[in-house]
Amino acid sequence: MVTKRILVTGGAGFLGSHLCQRLLNDGHDVLCVDNYFTGSKQNIAHLFNHPRFELMRHDVTFPLYVEVDEIYNLACPASPIHYQHDPVQTTKTSVHGAINMLGLAKRVGAKIFQASTSEVYGDPTEHPQTESYRGHVNPIGPRACYDEGKRCAETLFFDYHRQHKLRIKVVRIFNTYGPHMHPQDGRVVSNFIMQALRGEEITLYGDGSQTRAFCYVDDLIEGFIRLMGSPDNVTGPVNIGNPVEITVRDLAERVIKLTKSRSKLVFKPLPPDDPRQRCPDISLAKKLLNWEPRIDLEVGLAKTIDYFKTRQ
Ligand code: NAD
Ligand code: UDP
């Protein structure tokens, strides 16, 4: 195997920290770049003494000059409360961040990977979502800074590919969970587990009948590696997620059972533009990458609960 120099932006975040670990395990040199907006050094503290790991504090909305062979562009807050905290900065991170990282890839001839999202489908009118579905996004709503930022980043990736012949890989990530999620990021899995462990009320938004499909982080990272290693004509976008769809209420009940919690369910208003249903069609990932998730929700939730017990 050839050792590559690999840049991971957003490497101190939830997914980035797992990706850095996996790339080091695979024998590569890893440069982790992060501005610590939502990530933390704690997520990567176990890598500090690794001889092939390097860490740089940097904001991707500014240009970056480094020499690398591959780039994984993950920098962007991902939870609704974090990306809505400073929506202008969220759009800048997606759009200016993509321009800067694509410019870097062009200068050094690197292959570049974009962490896009199922949010490009918005509140979908097709179900489950295939990559050919063009989406149903409100361009002026509170989620737009993230959804439209990510859509524009995809546009930039494909224009650099067509115009400058860049080698690109675009993944559309569906809801993912696991250790290193931020305990206060407001996402449903972290909220429910923290509430259950503390014996607090479990907050269901709306009536809890909206659906999501949850992928364990190790499965997702395997999908990333396979997509990056695929032939150059495989550009994506490719959906990566777990196609087992459940209601948010069902998730709450499973978390209560696994934590043996006495927490009760309470109902809160549904946030604006909250998608009613979401589930990936992963036929393309199966066909192109021979990838599908292997970790059952109950197994993944148990591992995640063990992690959150250390973060209380
Ligand atoms: P996260 O918030 O844990 O990680 C994002 C990282 O990016 C953090 O470490 C943060 O500090 C860093 N960051 C933010 N703005 C930056 C900037 N301007 N410059 C440098 N670093 C910056 O989120 P995550 O769940 O690990 O998500 C990683 C990527 O995957 C994001 O691009 C997100 O949009 C995408 N994604 C995640 C999910 C999911 O379910 N976790 C779903 C869809 C898409
Ligand atoms: N949700 C909930 N209670 C919470 C947090 C979230 O009912 O405490 C719901 C939210 O309204 C959404 C789903 O869970 O329908 C997933 O929310 P999350 O923020 O994790 O991700 P999204 O898929 O909406 O980006």
Side-chain angles (χ1 to χ4, degrees):
M1 196 219 56
V2 185
T3 298
K4 293 183 196 130
R5 298 162 303 173
I6 305 182
L7 166 62
V8 179
T9 76
F14 161 42
L15 301 180
S17 58
H18 288 272
L19 179 62
C20 288
Q21 174 80 72
R22 169 65 191 263
L23 294 169
L24 289 170
N25 292 349
D26 289 352
H28 300 297
D29 274 340
V30 174
L31 171 58
C32 169
V33 160
D34 208 293
N35 70 349
Y36 308 120
F37 173 49
T38 52
S40 79
K41 286 189 187 164
Q42 199 183 331
N43 284 341
I44 41 169
H46 58 296
L47 307 178
F48 286 169
N49 290 328
H50 195 295
R52 283 182 278 101
F53 183 74
E54 220 177 325
L55 180 59
M56 186 194 289
R57 180 191 290 265
H58 175 80
D59 182 327
V60 295
T61 61
F62 297 98
L64 177 67
Y65 296 92
V66 290
E67 310 305 314
V68 289
D69 305 304
E70 291 182 353
I71 302 168
Y72 286 85
N73 187 36
L74 271 62
C76 186
S79 88
I81 55 165
H82 285 153
Y83 70 65
Q84 289 171 23
H85 170 74
D86 185 349
V88 173
Q89 177 65 15
T90 298
T91 304
K92 278 191 190 169
T93 295
S94 277
V95 177
H96 294 192
I99 291 171
N100 288 329
M101 292 309 115
L102 287 160
L104 170 63
K106 183 174 164 231
R107 184 177 66 80
V108 300
K111 181 155 58 166
I112 181 163
F113 174 106
Q114 169 66 0
S116 191
T117 169
S118 53
E119 292 281 329
V120 301
Y121 302 124
D123 189 4
T125 52
E126 259 182 36
H127 198 70
Q129 292 83 54
T130 60
E131 292 82 354
S132 58
Y133 176 55
R134 294 188 183 176
H136 181 228
V137 174
N138 175 1
I140 57 168
R143 295 176 85 105
C145 57
Y146 184 74
D147 301 7
E148 298 289 13
K150 289 285 188 178
R151 286 169 69 95
C152 184
E154 287 199 10
T155 307
L156 285 160
F157 268 69
F158 278 84
D159 282 334
Y160 269 78
H161 173 63
R162 284 184 288 257
Q163 199 174 330
H164 300 301
K165 309 288 173 258
L166 242 61
R167 292 173 296 154
I168 61 160
K169 305 283 176 186
V170 176
V171 64
R172 290 183 179 154
I173 304 166
F174 283 67
N175 295 66
T176 302
Y177 69 98
H180 299 184
M181 285 185 94
H182 194 302
Q184 268 90 44
D185 72 2
R187 282 190 266 196
V188 69
V189 173
S190 40
N191 264 13
F192 286 1
I193 294 177
M194 291 306 285
Q195 289 163 343
L197 290 176
R198 290 176 174 155
E200 294 166 2
E201 291 176 328
I202 306 256
T203 51
L204 289 177
Y205 300 160
D207 61 4
S209 66
Q210 68 272 37
T211 68
R212 295 291 187 274
F214 297 97
C215 185
Y216 188 67
V217 60
D218 291 356
D219 280 332
L220 184 90
I221 299 297
E222 178 61 30
F224 282 15
I225 301 293
R226 289 191 190 205
L227 178 59
M228 194 59 139
S230 62
D232 285 351
N233 64 345
V234 178
T235 56
V238 181
N239 289 340
I240 298 278
N242 191 321
V244 179
E245 183 182 0
I246 63 167
T247 64
V248 164
R249 183 178 184 132
D250 186 3
L251 178 73
E253 282 161 358
R254 285 179 200 224
V255 169
I256 289 175
K257 194 181 100 205
L258 286 168
T259 51
K260 301 188 178 67
S261 172
R262 293 190 185 168
S263 293
K264 300 274 172 270
L265 305 181
V266 287
F267 295 89
K268 303 267 181 188
L270 192 67
D273 294 339
D274 196 278
R276 281 290 317 151
Q277 51 180 10
R278 186 187 292 145
C279 181
D281 181 319
I282 59 163
S283 316
L284 194 63
K286 280 187 186 162
K287 187 172 128 208
L288 295 177
L289 313 176
N290 191 23
W291 176 89
E292 63 184 314
R294 307 202 169 282
I295 297 161
D296 283 343
L297 184 59
E298 303 260 323
V299 174
L301 282 177
K303 288 174 193 258
T304 312
I305 289 165
D306 286 344
Y307 170 75
F308 278 116
K309 281 182 183 161
T310 69
R311 295 297 307 269
Q312 280 192 88

